[in-house]
Amino acid sequence: LNSLGRILVGCVSATHAHHQSTPISSANRRHHAVVYVHPRHIHSQLLRITPQCSMAIQPLLPFLVVDKLLVGLEEWPRFDELAADCRATYKVQQTEGKSFWLSLGDAQSPRCGLESLAVTMLELHRARAGGEAVVGVEWWTQVRGPDTPEGDAIGFHWDRDEVLADAAVAPRLVHPVVATVTYLTAVGAPTVVVEQQPLAAPGRATATRGQVSHPAIGKHIAFDGRLLHGVPPELMTQPQHPPPPPPRDHRLTFLANIWATRPPTGITRLPAAAADALALTQADVAPLVGDGAVPGVLRDAEGNQGAVCGFAFGREGDEEHELWMPLVRGRCRRGETIAVSFGEVGATIIRNPPTPRGSASNGGESARKKRKKKNKKKKKAGSGGGGG
């Protein structure tokens, strides 16, 4: 981080009351950071109160970064139209309460520039996602900034079929094979990927590695769709001076998940009327696509054993989790991508037991209702539309 001391001072003086939960998507995801503390204190507390959660470990797809998948965006004269299309699509997502689907058949005839970008991600990752088993691509956009309703953050989460996960009978976790993030601007918080799959039951697990990707125009990352990830503004680098002009002053990302065997439940193609209203076509964005076979630079770094940052996430009272993660040691530069070894401390992920209604620890039933009213959103289909 550019100024570890600045962040430490800001967070150590804060309490949970100052970091109110922020709804991140229609799935009522929330994000808030808690204090930075010494890792020995954290782990002594975790070992005392939480059992180890055993999980079956399966091989993970390797993390991939392409520094310039989209080329020429910096000077592209139609960038404002691209940003406007992303914002318009984002509003449709919020109204519909879901992301969008593009089957292999639909991918043959994209109806707008954003669908064409989704086809690009599908073609780029189809082979590593299972080849003939792939059935299509889920896609959506994210717009983040201090003046947006959601703020700068995207809470930590696992992409999954939300409908299957929330089923009243026999719920199950089904994830995309590959998750991707493509950055359209160079501002905002990094995408943080922690090499940890969901916990099967209340308890804890320890991850030893992760990746931190700071936004850069045209950069593309891809990772195993089962992994924990989020966008914590506490890990932002120093802001650019002078700041870029609108609309480049917001964090704009294009997200695409590759699914195999079956599509996520309940999502459909972008409505035809919404697609027709967008400015850019397949032909407009085609010249932007660079060579996805050229890997980018991934710098190795270690976690700072002297400072751990904690994050709470999940749906309130249902799937409340905690992540305690060592900070990246040393200075982070804008736009770089870092492979982090968390060292002896590791990154600890906790799945807490459900909180009983009206319990004192939860502030009582009336406080719970107030929070739910504040965070009320339409339930989301697809993999949750969180992204990175």
Side-chain angles (χ1 to χ4, degrees), residues 300-326:
D300 291 328
E302 294 182 355
N304 189 333
Q305 305 302 298
V308 172
C309 188
F311 302 92
F313 63 98
R315 287 198 287 266
E316 202 163 24
D318 176 20
E319 295 181 347
E320 296 189 346
H321 292 75
E322 298 172 36
L323 167 63
W324 296 93
M325 183 181 69

Side-chain angles (χ1 to χ4, degrees), residues 198-215:
L199 278 67
R204 65 179 177 87
T206 301
T208 59
R209 292 191 59 81
Q211 293 81 32
V212 178
S213 172
H214 290 275

Side-chain angles (χ1 to χ4, degrees), residues 145-171:
D147 60 343
T148 61
E150 299 82 1
D152 291 305
I154 298 175
F156 280 94
H157 61 280
W158 288 277
D159 287 350
R160 63 189 188 179
D161 186 318
E162 295 286 347
V163 175
L164 292 182
D166 293 337
V169 178

Side-chain angles (χ1 to χ4, degrees), residues 20-32 86-87 89-95 97 140-156 189 231-234 236 250-252 374-378 380 384-386:
Q20 294 296 325
S21 300
T22 302
I24 297 305
S25 74
S26 299
N28 281 347
R29 289 201 179 109
R30 62 197 179 94
H31 166 100
H32 63 265
C86 288
R87 291 177 184 274
T89 305
Y90 184 71
K91 289 181 180 179
V92 177
Q93 292 165 204
Q94 299 299 95
T95 302
W140 65 104
T141 63
Q142 288 286 13
V143 181
R144 286 295 186 272
D147 60 343
T148 61
E150 299 82 1
D152 291 305
I154 298 175
F156 280 94
V231 180
E234 294 77 15
M236 277 194 288
H250 283 73
R251 186 184 192 274
L252 303 180
K374 178 181 177 182
N375 292 346
K376 188 176 182 181
K377 294 272 187 174
K378 187 176 179 180
K380 194 168 192 70

Side-chain angles (χ1 to χ4, degrees), residues 105-174:
D106 293 337
Q108 302 303 312
S109 54
R111 296 188 299 207
C112 60
L114 293 182
E115 281 196 346
S116 181
L117 289 181
V119 174
T120 295
M121 309 312 162
L122 175 64
E123 293 174 346
L124 180 61
H125 298 289
R126 185 173 179 177
R128 69 196 300 257
E132 294 182 358
V134 169
V135 293
V137 56
E138 174 194 16
W139 69 272
W140 65 104
T141 63
Q142 288 286 13
V143 181
R144 286 295 186 272
D147 60 343
T148 61
E150 299 82 1
D152 291 305
I154 298 175
F156 280 94
H157 61 280
W158 288 277
D159 287 350
R160 63 189 188 179
D161 186 318
E162 295 286 347
V163 175
L164 292 182
D166 293 337
V169 178
R172 58 196 179 103
L173 295 180
V174 179

Side-chain angles (χ1 to χ4, degrees), residues 161-193:
D161 186 318
E162 295 286 347
V163 175
L164 292 182
D166 293 337
V169 178
R172 58 196 179 103
L173 295 180
V174 179
H175 304 279
V177 182
V178 178
T180 77
V181 182
T182 304
Y183 303 91
L184 307 180
T185 58
V187 299
T191 305
V192 176
V193 179

Side-chain angles (χ1 to χ4, degrees), residues 223-346:
F223 51 92
D224 193 295
R226 297 169 291 177
L227 296 183
L228 178 67
H229 57 286
V231 180
E234 294 77 15
L235 303 188
M236 277 194 288
T237 59
Q238 291 284 6
Q240 181 179 337
H241 292 291
R248 298 177 186 268
D249 58 341
H250 283 73
R251 186 184 192 274
L252 303 180
T253 49
F254 181 85
L255 299 309
N257 286 349
I258 315 302
W259 288 79
T261 307
R262 54 162 293 159
T265 307
I267 70 170
T268 56
R269 193 172 186 179
L270 177 70
D276 291 342
L278 300 181
L280 299 179
T281 66
Q282 177 184 10
D284 294 329
V285 301
L288 295 174
V289 180
D291 188 353
V294 180
V297 177
L298 190 61
R299 177 171 72 87
D300 291 328
E302 294 182 355
N304 189 333
Q305 305 302 298
V308 172
C309 188
F311 302 92
F313 63 98
R315 287 198 287 266
E316 202 163 24
D318 176 20
E319 295 181 347
E320 296 189 346
H321 292 75
E322 298 172 36
L323 167 63
W324 296 93
M325 183 181 69
L327 300 175
V328 176
R329 185 189 299 275
R331 184 182 298 269
C332 296
R333 297 180 295 275
R334 281 197 299 271
E336 74 172 341
T337 313
I338 305 166
V340 186
S341 173
F342 294 127
E344 295 180 1
V345 173

